[in-house]
Amino acid sequence: MDILMHPIANSVIFSAIGIVILLLTYWLIEKITPENTWKEIVEKNNLSVAIVFAAFIIGISMIVSAAIHG
């Protein structure tokens, strides 16, 4: 049973670390940009900002994934 639990525990730990890193980078970008990006996306329906932030999230996720896999 230990052989099965070790990889699962590693996956959960690294996934949590990846999510925390993603949220921290989003918070950092939110502080750097002059406008409130969430307000732009949700309230003003700015599709351009939504596409840029979707690309940002995918890019950061790929970087975190590559760092975890080594």
Side-chain angles (χ1 to χ4, degrees), residues 2 6-7 10 15-16 25-26 31 44 49 52 54 56-57 63:
D2 187 46
H6 189 66
N10 283 342
S15 295
T25 53
Y26 176 77
K31 292 298 177 189
K44 297 182 181 177
V49 175
V52 167
F56 162 75
I57 289 172
I63 291 169

Side-chain angles (χ1 to χ4, degrees), residues 26-44:
Y26 176 77
W27 176 80
L28 180 67
I29 294 297
E30 185 71 32
K31 292 298 177 189
I32 291 172
T33 55
E35 294 291 327
N36 184 347
T37 54
W38 188 252
K39 188 176 182 180
E40 281 286 322
I41 293 170
V42 175
E43 291 179 7
K44 297 182 181 177

